[in-house]
Amino acid sequence: MTRISVVLLPAVAALSLAAGFIAAQTSEKPLTVEAIFAHGPLIGHPPDELTWSPDRKHLTYLEGGQLMEVDSATGRTHVLVSAAKMSPLDENNVSERDRDHRSRYNMAGYFWSPDSTHLLFDADGRLWLYDLHNGTGVQIGFTGLAAGDDPKFSPDGCCVSFIRDHGLAAIRLHDAGTPMISLAPSPAPAANNGQVLLNGQVDWVYEEELDVRSNYFWSPDSKNLAYLQMDETQVPRYPLADWIPNHASVDWQHYPQPGDANPVVHVGVVSVKGGKTTWVKLPIREGDDYIPRFGWVDHKTLWIEVLSRDHKHRVLYFADAEYGDARQVLEIDDRKFLDEDYDISVDDGAIVLASWSDGHNQLYLYSYDKEKPLGAEAKLEKQLTKGAFEVGDVYRVDTSHKAVDYASNEGNPLEQGIWRVGFNGDRAALSTDAGFHHASFSPDGSTFTDKFSTRMQPPVMRLCHETAPGAAASCRVFWETHALDSYHLRAPEQMEVKARDGTSLYATLLLPAGMTDPATVPLIVNPYGGPGEQTVANEWKDGLLFDELLTQHGFAVLHADNRGMGKRGRAFAQASYREFGPVQLADQMTVIDAALAKYPQLDPKRLGWWGWSWGGTFTLYAMTHSDRFRTGVAVAPVTDWRNYDSIYTERYLGLPADDADGYRDFSVVNSAANLKGRLLLAHGTGDDNVHMENTVQFVQKLIEAGIPYDLQIYPRKTHSIAGPDVRTHLYHRILAQFEEYLNPKESLDQKPEAPAGNGQ
């Protein structure tokens, strides 16, 4: 499930501030809604799509409609491809869903050729080849897809492959007229007995829940392509309606819900010349098991990862590319569910992967016979990292120098550093500053970019060079912002509270300035609460700006990470196993009570709650399982877990047939009649992640129970409800909800009447 950031997009208007609270502000320049939203992100736009050329000579990124380059020696920036030359690529004719799709899944807009002399730009399905030598570009093809076309150069640079009409195709760059070849075309269902096939294209549920970004790969010798075929014939469809035209239209989305048939998947190998596909023979359960990752061991051998439907078994196979024979080489199991890191590096006799088998997500090194990959099972050589910390992204595995570059929160569970570990187990930190670091390494590993931030420091982009083995890197800033200097933002207080079982829970509390009288400050809690995420960290989050704005209106804001969330080890994460509510709510209430006890100015009778996605569901769970919250806002919530997708939901709750009681008890649609406090529901009608049916079903239960509510819908908008106009409207509604029902100046003896709204 995608977590939505609180503040990312522009807005154009603001509500007036309460004069008493403005006077109490310590900020030299008070925040307004306009300041946060109206002109794009207040901190500006850090470099997007940072990419190294294969020869390591170019580090590029997109900014302001042009391609910028960072000098790898000095860190200075200059324009590599001007906005004028890139202007033909910008037609902005993509749909709302395609635009959201590219943003949500960080789809690349350009690619370097293997010889580092050309760039391929993907402009909403139009492929442009740009020559660095003569500064000219030419359109070489059109994929027919605005999102999900997945273009790639072949390793020898002679071809560009992509997805067209749900099948795999390629263009020969050096042949006259750059002819297109259909390598694995997908027949239309009408001509294929109704069968719905995706050859190399990623479907929604794999992209969203397994973080799959590509379903085909070139062999190292550029002669063949391996691809995943997804048969969605038996996967149920959901209607995404567009009511804006006079004649409404429907876009049908294949979307497996818990217990439904999943896509049937097969791995095939096809020659770059086209022809018959060779299918790999894997012992998997069709319509159940998943293939989250696969690739090439060498030009004759594939590696394929299979994940069982119950998320308890992860198996790696090697397969012969010519005949399709496969054998298992390693397996990882868990009695509840496996961690969500499915990435594997297979190269030159070494396999590197992450697993939380010892209780924390750590790196493991396996070996195989690179001369005869199918000859025997892989051998566990070493657990490369070990300790009470979590390994995050693996940036680079260098088999020639026998080292791995990766992210880790070693030393502080609320921070993230950049590390390197050798195959011998020796590890060293490449970053030293306290805070959060995200890296992008050059092909040879000697240079990397460091996107660094802290809770109060917006991102700074640095270019770093390795100085000596085992030593921290030397870095130079090439992008930073001072846009917040005049606001003098205040840091929230870091809190640590013990859960009922003694587990440490981390939280932050931001209080309005100058308000010390007892029971005068309303408290708004804004947790996410769901699996996999970490919201309380020493990292810049745009949501701090909205929190600060809320404090200017007299509210205190609390964020807490409960058990069942991520970055704290297996036991912490697996608290969500068959438990989507009670444990999470108990932890949040423990933190709330600790904050109320420490700060008497907080008013225990004026509590509010708001959240988005899982956080929106959490809002509804809290307001239907507690009478302590006067108001809340739920944006794009799941209200019945039978409505959400199979991969995510079954990982934690299992199949509905195996735990009907759990699906009933954890689905807030079944507790809607117990709602306490005034509720605002918000949802985009085009949401392809958490469907609009969730909010509609919850509203129906409120009507049946005679409970008033407020409803705000956003036509055509997806799960992120993106766009300056709608984000403006949404955050006005959120702020107005809390001002109406938690007004700090209102007498406790006066209970506010429900205003007329979109609901009852």
Side-chain angles (χ1 to χ4, degrees):
M1 178 183 287
T2 302
R3 180 176 183 269
I4 302 298
S5 299
V6 172
V7 177
L8 285 177
L9 298 171
V12 294
L15 295 172
S16 60
L17 298 175
F21 300 133
I22 295 177
Q25 283 296 313
T26 60
S27 298
E28 180 178 306
K29 184 177 181 181
L31 276 173
T32 64
V33 176
E34 290 98 339
I36 298 173
F37 294 101
H39 307 290
L42 190 53
I43 65 169
H45 295 275
D48 189 25
E49 294 191 39
L50 275 163
T51 306
W52 290 92
S53 62
D55 64 3
R56 168 189 181 279
K57 293 181 180 179
H58 303 279
L59 171 62
T60 52
Y61 64 91
L62 295 172
E63 181 181 75
Q66 56 193 1
L67 191 69
M68 304 295 296
E69 181 176 15
V70 183
D71 187 293
S72 60
T74 66
R76 295 189 179 95
T77 62
H78 64 271
V79 176
L80 183 62
V81 184
S82 68
K85 291 183 176 180
M86 292 184 65
S87 60
L89 310 182
D90 186 17
E91 291 188 0
N92 292 321
N93 58 352
V94 297
S95 69
E96 174 72 26
R97 285 185 63 195
D98 284 331
R99 188 178 299 109
D100 177 73
H101 185 96
R102 286 192 175 276
S103 174
R104 186 196 309 175
Y105 300 122
N106 299 313
M107 297 181 66
Y110 72 98
F111 310 84
W112 280 97
S113 66
D115 63 4
S116 302
T117 63
H118 292 79
L119 288 157
L120 180 70
F121 290 97
D122 184 2
D124 305 328
R126 291 170 294 121
L127 303 180
W128 290 76
L129 189 65
Y130 183 85
D131 189 327
L132 285 177
H133 289 155
N134 59 28
T136 60
V138 60
Q139 183 171 338
I140 62 171
F142 179 61
T143 69
L145 291 174
D149 41 16
D150 194 17
K152 296 177 184 177
F153 283 100
S154 60
D156 62 9
C158 291
C159 295
V160 169
S161 55
F162 51 89
I163 303 300
R164 180 180 174 86
D165 296 330
H166 311 298
L168 187 58
I171 291 174
R172 297 184 184 277
L173 296 177
H174 303 306
D175 290 359
T178 59
M180 188 185 78
I181 308 169
S182 291
L183 302 176
S186 177
N192 198 38
N193 297 320
Q195 193 172 24
V196 181
L197 298 179
L198 305 178
N199 287 334
Q201 182 179 344
V202 186
D203 79 334
W204 182 89
V205 75
Y206 266 51
E207 198 162 36
E208 174 68 21
E209 304 301 1
L210 297 179
D211 290 327
V212 175
R213 294 297 175 261
S214 185
N215 261 347
Y216 79 90
F217 303 96
W218 283 92
S219 62
D221 60 6
S222 299
K223 293 181 178 180
N224 297 292
L225 296 95
Y227 68 94
L228 190 73
Q229 182 183 82
M230 309 190 78
D231 184 345
E232 295 197 296
T233 308
Q234 300 302 317
V235 178
R237 299 189 304 166
Y238 181 84
L240 295 168
D242 181 1
W243 291 292
I244 296 301
N246 288 336
H247 296 90
S249 62
V250 174
D251 183 13
W252 290 97
Q253 175 196 21
H254 286 277
Y255 189 102
Q257 294 174 324
D260 287 343
N262 283 320
V264 175
V265 289
H266 299 99
V267 175
V269 178
V270 65
S271 168
V272 68
K273 298 177 182 179
K276 186 178 179 180
T277 291
T278 298
W279 297 105
V280 177
K281 296 181 278 289
L282 291 171
I284 64 174
R285 296 171 299 170
E286 293 189 348
D288 281 326
D289 294 341
Y290 311 108
I291 299 179
R293 304 287 187 273
F294 65 100
W296 291 89
V297 179
D298 54 40
H299 71 280
K300 296 181 179 179
T301 314
L302 295 169
W303 63 266
I304 303 167
E305 182 181 26
V306 174
L307 177 68
S308 63
R309 181 161 188 159
D310 62 9
H311 298 265
K312 296 180 181 181
H313 308 282
R314 179 186 178 194
V315 183
L316 180 65
Y317 294 91
F318 283 177
D320 180 271
E322 183 176 1
Y323 300 105
D325 296 324
R327 73 163 296 162
Q328 178 178 323
V329 294
L330 67 87
E331 181 174 9
I332 300 171
D333 300 308
D334 194 287
R335 66 185 183 87
K336 292 184 177 178
F337 59 83
L338 293 160
D339 58 279
E340 299 177 50
D341 188 348
Y342 309 113
D343 291 343
I344 300 179
S345 172
V346 182
D347 181 52
D348 197 29
I351 301 171
V352 175
L353 56 82
S355 168
W356 63 17
S357 298
D358 79 341
H360 290 276
N361 209 45
Q362 303 291 341
L363 292 174
Y364 293 81
L365 172 66
Y366 294 79
S367 64
Y368 63 92
D369 185 347
K370 64 181 181 181
E371 301 300 327
K372 297 180 179 179
L374 289 163
E377 292 189 357
K379 176 185 176 183
L380 176 61
E381 295 290 343
K382 186 185 289 291
Q383 181 175 338
L384 296 177
T385 59
K386 189 175 181 63
F389 59 86
E390 304 298 301
V391 168
D393 291 336
V394 174
Y395 299 121
R396 180 174 170 272
V397 177
D398 185 345
T399 54
S400 61
H401 293 91
K402 300 186 184 307
V404 183
D405 297 318
Y406 64 97
S408 171
N409 64 6
E410 181 172 354
N412 190 328
L414 304 184
E415 299 186 345
Q416 178 172 282
I418 304 168
W419 290 75
R420 175 170 294 167
V421 62
F423 283 7
N424 61 1
D426 293 340
R427 66 179 186 266
L430 302 182
S431 59
T432 57
D433 298 312
F436 244 77
H437 301 261
H438 300 269
S440 173
F441 279 81
S442 64
D444 67 357
S446 64
T447 308
F448 63 91
T449 61
D450 177 9
K451 183 179 181 180
F452 167 71
S453 72
T454 67
R455 185 171 290 147
M456 301 305 296
Q457 167 65 58
V460 172
M461 302 299 302
R462 306 191 289 200
L463 188 65
C464 303
H465 299 273
E466 182 181 2
T467 55
S474 173
C475 301
R476 182 192 299 263
V477 173
F478 67 87
W479 188 93
E480 61 183 330
T481 179
H482 298 283
L484 301 181
D485 291 354
S486 61
Y487 291 97
H488 298 290
L489 300 176
R490 297 168 304 116
E493 177 187 345
Q494 177 70 54
M495 299 177 63
E496 180 176 344
V497 180
K498 297 295 183 182
R500 292 178 180 177
D501 68 349
T503 302
S504 290
L505 304 175
Y506 297 111
T508 59
L509 177 66
L510 187 62
L511 294 163
M515 298 183 67
T516 58
D517 292 342
T520 55
V521 179
L523 177 64
I524 298 172
V525 294
N526 177 214
Y528 178 71
E533 297 293 339
Q534 180 185 37
T535 60
V536 177
N538 188 20
E539 178 184 21
W540 172 261
K541 298 180 186 295
D542 289 340
L544 176 68
L545 300 174
F546 189 65
D547 291 349
E548 180 70 31
L549 180 59
L550 287 171
T551 66
Q552 291 184 14
H553 285 252
F555 304 107
V557 182
L558 178 70
H559 298 275
D561 284 354
N562 48 257
R563 285 172 293 168
M565 295 180 68
K567 311 297 185 183
R568 296 283 304 281
R570 182 177 62 191
F572 194 87
Q574 288 187 341
S576 62
Y577 183 64
R578 306 294 176 97
E579 194 80 12
F580 260 20
V583 166
Q584 294 86 345
L585 181 59
D587 285 355
Q588 291 292 331
M589 299 307 297
T590 296
V591 176
I592 291 170
D593 287 338
L596 293 172
K598 185 173 182 180
Y599 291 98
Q601 63 263 48
L602 296 176
D603 187 347
K605 295 183 179 181
R606 296 184 189 279
L607 302 180
W609 188 307
W610 88 276
W612 200 314
S613 197
W614 211 102
T617 306
F618 208 0
T619 301
L620 300 180
Y621 191 89
M623 295 182 69
T624 57
H625 290 77
S626 171
D627 60 1
R628 296 179 62 181
F629 301 97
R630 297 190 80 185
T631 190
V633 181
V635 184
V638 175
T639 64
D640 189 333
W641 287 109
R642 296 175 303 172
N643 291 339
Y644 202 53
D645 74 67
S646 58
I647 295 181
Y648 181 94
T649 313
E650 292 172 12
R651 180 189 296 135
Y652 308 107
L653 300 184
L655 292 167
D658 296 337
D659 189 9
D661 291 343
Y663 271 84
R664 181 194 65 241
D665 294 343
F666 304 145
S667 296
V668 292
V669 69
N670 298 311
S671 55
N674 299 324
L675 181 75
K676 304 296 190 298
R678 185 70 182 211
L679 173 67
L680 168 64
L681 287 157
H683 218 125
T685 65
D687 194 333
D688 61 346
N689 185 345
V690 179
H691 294 143
M692 182 72 186
E693 68 175 341
N694 285 277
T695 287
V696 171
Q697 290 172 6
F698 193 82
V699 163
Q700 178 62 31
K701 293 298 183 180
L702 294 179
I703 293 172
E704 292 173 1
I707 297 175
Y709 63 93
D710 294 293
L711 174 65
Q712 183 63 57
I713 64 170
Y714 292 98
R716 291 182 172 171
K717 294 302 173 181
T718 59
H719 195 56
S720 58
I721 310 184
D725 52 347
V726 293
R727 278 285 175 110
T728 300
H729 193 279
L730 173 60
Y731 281 96
H732 281 331
R733 293 285 275 131
I734 294 171
L735 184 55
Q737 187 79 6
F738 291 127
E739 286 192 315
E740 180 71 27
Y741 297 106
L742 294 182
N743 191 327
K745 296 182 294 183
E746 176 197 298
S747 168
L748 282 178
D749 296 329
Q750 291 181 307
K751 185 176 178 64
E753 296 181 1
N758 299 64
Q760 287 183 305

